[in-house]
Amino acid sequence: MTQVSVIPKGLTFVRSLIIRAQGAAGEEATHGIATDRWGQYQADRITKAAVSAITTGDLGNEAATEFFDLVRERSLIGRLVGLRRVEFYRRMLSVTSGASGYWVSQAKPKPLSKPAIAGSTLDPLKVAAIICATNESLQVGGKITETGLQRDMERALIDTLDQALLDTANAGIPDEQPPAITYGAPAVAATSDPVADITALLAIFGGDMAGAIMVTDSQTATNMALLRNAGGALVFPDVGARGGSVLGIPLLISRGSPIDTNGGQLALIDPTGIAYGADGIVIRKAQHSSLAMSDDPDDLEDPGEVVSLWQTNTTAFLAEVSINWETQRAGSVAVLTGAGWGA
């Protein structure tokens, strides 16, 4: 009889990290601890994940691959249906202006249209997140601790990816971070008239409307859902706090979509004009290191407080995801900024 796992996706991988943090030496010890905590079936999968390399580069590590796929699927990268996934280091041809077809009469020469083509290559860049947990919680913590650790790891990676993808101020850093797909894209500032603003956004968009998707934050979506015109009718009847659609265009919600006191951002995206590469997650743990409690550890004037993991009885997990993206067709993204209707 085939045994079916009811363990939530990604949790086996997190449990393998917990086992590693307890310092189990060898497959037998790992399997014994895992069996005592979660049963034999789960122990079989955890042992394989914990003893092998914690990386999706190891194709035998199903738990790591499952967790990586979960992060990718829940990030905006995974939800923008139509994105072109490519391999790293593989030279691509991107069509910067398309070819055209012509009607041709019988026995007449057929016109030739030459598309503009540029070559490019995506190299892997890294997104890193450090998550800390007390040793006591890892040793005796139950489902709440495990689920909390998984959510922290997922959220840290997903939010970082989405922010970099959508922030119009992100010009990118060579060999470190790709520019946002919204960086340098046509943009228009919102006014007090949402209908005129959406019309202006559509006017500057040069992508394929057939597969276009809008992206904003939950607060802006909520304000849109509550907005009514002078007659009392909803301006965006198909929008809710979790998304919906605007004029039939799907609206996605992302925590990484920028918002400030002027309002949120509404990005209109043609995913078919964007290529991305994503290949693997690597997890490392540390229990005897010291961490600088700062989001800018290179700042010599204020490096942050240094905390010893050993003294505080803490384990730190460093998660790194290899990913990169590139807008390959001009006009694939347009942005409406400062959307504060009804706020």
Side-chain angles (χ1 to χ4, degrees):
M1 182 176 63
T2 302
Q3 193 165 11
V4 179
S5 174
V6 295
I7 303 298
K9 288 183 65 175
L11 191 57
T12 298
F13 181 64
V14 172
R15 286 175 172 175
S16 71
L17 299 180
I18 292 175
I19 290 295
R20 278 199 163 197
Q22 294 184 40
E27 184 173 347
E28 185 176 346
T30 298
H31 193 277
I33 296 174
T35 301
D36 290 341
R37 292 188 65 167
W38 301 296
Q40 182 174 349
Y41 175 71
Q42 180 72 153
D44 292 341
R45 295 195 68 205
I46 289 172
T47 301
K48 184 177 181 181
V51 173
S52 59
I54 301 297
T55 168
T56 48
D58 173 14
L59 297 180
N61 193 339
E62 297 177 1
T65 303
E66 179 184 78
F67 184 83
F68 169 72
D69 288 342
L70 187 64
V71 170
R72 182 176 58 83
E73 290 168 6
R74 292 183 177 176
S75 71
L76 198 55
I77 286 286
R79 293 189 290 145
L80 285 173
V81 179
L83 284 181
R84 179 187 175 193
R85 188 170 183 178
V86 299
E87 296 182 12
F88 290 128
Y89 305 118
R90 182 70 60 85
R91 188 165 177 79
M92 302 173 290
L93 292 179
S94 58
V95 180
T96 55
S97 63
S100 299
Y102 301 89
W103 290 98
V104 183
S105 61
Q106 190 70 23
K108 292 289 186 179
K110 299 174 179 63
L112 175 64
S113 168
K114 182 180 179 180
I117 296 177
S120 63
T121 302
L122 283 182
D123 296 335
L125 301 178
K126 290 183 179 180
V127 173
I130 297 178
I131 306 298
C132 297
T134 64
N135 294 340
E136 290 88 347
S137 68
L138 296 177
Q139 291 168 359
V140 300
K143 187 68 172 294
I144 294 178
T145 298
E146 297 163 10
T147 303
L149 179 59
Q150 178 178 348
R151 288 178 178 173
D152 285 346
M153 294 179 65
E154 289 177 11
R155 177 168 289 186
L157 292 170
I158 291 170
D159 287 356
T160 302
L161 286 171
D162 285 6
Q163 288 167 9
L165 190 74
L166 296 172
D167 186 359
T168 55
N170 173 26
I173 303 174
D175 301 322
E176 181 177 324
Q177 178 177 313
I181 60 175
T182 57
Y183 178 75
V188 61
T191 67
S192 59
D193 186 345
V195 175
D197 293 342
I198 296 296
T199 301
L201 176 63
L202 296 176
I204 63 173
F205 180 62
D208 184 359
M209 191 63 70
I213 296 173
M214 287 186 177
V215 180
T216 192
D217 62 279
S218 61
Q219 183 60 59
T220 299
T222 300
N223 294 340
M224 293 171 66
L226 296 174
L227 188 63
R228 296 178 180 273
N229 60 23
L234 293 173
V235 178
F236 300 103
D238 298 319
V239 172
R242 296 183 177 180
S245 64
V246 177
L247 300 177
I249 303 171
L251 176 66
L252 301 182
I253 302 301
S254 171
R255 289 166 50 90
S257 184
I259 183 172
D260 56 25
T261 54
N262 295 320
Q265 171 182 289
L266 192 63
L268 181 56
I269 303 169
D270 173 11
T272 63
I274 299 168
Y276 83 100
D279 185 23
I281 184 169
V282 176
I283 303 289
R284 299 181 178 90
K285 74 174 180 68
Q287 294 174 310
H288 298 88
S289 302
S290 295
L291 298 180
M293 297 301 175
S294 171
D295 57 3
D296 187 11
D298 291 330
D299 187 350
L300 299 180
E301 295 183 0
D302 184 20
E305 180 184 2
V306 177
V307 175
S308 168
L309 297 177
W310 179 75
Q311 286 181 312
T312 56
N313 204 27
T314 301
T315 296
F317 296 102
L318 170 63
E320 292 181 340
V321 171
S322 297
I323 196 166
N324 199 355
W325 56 74
E326 178 183 78
T327 301
Q328 295 195 311
R329 189 165 59 240
S332 296
V333 181
V335 181
L336 179 68
T337 61
W341 318 300

